Amino acid sequence: MFEGYVITGGPSSGKTTMVDQLRQRGYQTTIEHARHYIDLQRIGGRSVAEIRSRRLEFQRAVLAMQLEQEKALDPDEMVFLDRALPDSLAYYRFLHLTPDPELVEALLHVPYRTVFILDLLPLAPDYARSEDAAAQRRVHDLLIEVYESLPVPIVHVPVLPRDDRVASSSLTCESRTDAARNTPYPQGVC
């Protein structure tokens, strides 16, 4: 498995915006699979309400897509993920679902180099989002809980103007090194 950088946070925290900015700067990035799955199902004629009502089916489909993607990523490439496997565990917990054994097994071997947890922005409803402000906060707290239980470094990214989030001092680490590997972090991003 590869070693990537995860961009995560509760709904409406600016994850996709940050990932899009990283892509525009030339970094390899991934898509957010929950939204992608919803889009594919809508093309097939299902409504968002119908898709969301089948909670276990939805979570398993997103998990399968995430597992497939993470297994296929090049271990020699620096990649920024718009959510990652541990996000699935947070959503399973949020929905009071028993995690699939495949997810539990995969979480024993998380390969992430750094996880960036973005602080929440005001909730911006859209066609794919079903959470209210209380659910937004609960999902965010569960994401923090899950990632803090794993052996991965975490950077909390505060709310900043959109263009400043990637370039913020918490993401700039040209002179820092990865102590576990004694190698430099990618220039401009750690």
Side-chain angles (χ1 to χ4, degrees):
M1 263 193 163
F2 79 109
E3 294 189 23
Y5 298 86
V6 178
I7 308 295
T8 192
S12 198
S13 58
K15 296 174 299 299
T16 302
T17 299
M18 179 175 270
V19 169
D20 289 346
Q21 287 181 312
L22 288 163
R23 183 181 313 105
Q24 291 169 5
R25 291 176 183 211
Y27 293 102
Q28 182 179 348
T29 62
T30 66
I31 62 170
E32 198 234 329
H33 289 289
R35 185 173 297 273
H36 181 64
Y37 178 75
I38 289 169
D39 292 343
L40 291 174
Q41 295 300 304
R42 288 177 68 210
I43 291 168
R46 292 175 70 190
S47 70
V48 173
E50 179 184 2
I51 297 162
R52 291 278 190 184
S53 71
R54 297 177 179 180
R55 298 181 323 179
L56 184 57
E57 176 186 313
F58 178 76
Q59 292 306 315
R60 284 182 171 162
V62 172
L63 172 61
M65 294 168 84
Q66 192 74 40
L67 283 165
E68 181 181 344
Q69 174 184 265
E70 290 190 26
K71 286 177 186 174
L73 291 172
D74 184 342
D76 297 323
E77 293 289 325
M78 183 173 72
V79 180
F80 289 89
L81 290 89
D82 190 341
R83 296 201 180 276
L85 288 171
D87 290 65
S88 289
L89 180 58
Y91 274 93
Y92 273 78
R93 289 178 179 174
F94 175 71
L95 297 169
H96 306 289
L97 300 171
T98 302
D100 286 274
E102 191 173 19
L103 172 59
V104 174
E105 175 64 26
L107 291 176
L108 296 176
H109 312 285
V110 292
Y112 313 117
R113 199 141 175 191
T114 303
V115 175
F116 298 102
I117 301 177
L118 306 184
D119 284 351
L120 293 174
L121 299 170
L123 186 62
D126 69 15
Y127 74 94
R129 219 175 258 137
S130 62
E131 299 86 3
D132 60 16
Q136 176 197 33
R137 170 51 60 191
R138 179 70 181 133
V139 168
H140 188 74
D141 291 346
L142 285 167
L143 288 163
I144 292 170
E145 177 183 297
V146 167
Y147 278 102
E148 286 181 346
S149 75
L150 299 172
V152 296
I154 296 171
V155 174
H156 291 272
V157 181
V159 173
L160 296 167
R162 182 174 47 176
D163 293 337
D164 294 343
R165 256 188 163 178
V166 172
S168 72
S169 60
S170 62
L171 295 179
T172 303
C173 38
E174 294 172 15
S175 63
R176 292 172 50 190
T177 60
D178 178 345
R181 295 172 187 81
N182 197 26
T183 57
Y185 278 110
Q187 185 168 353
V189 180
C190 64

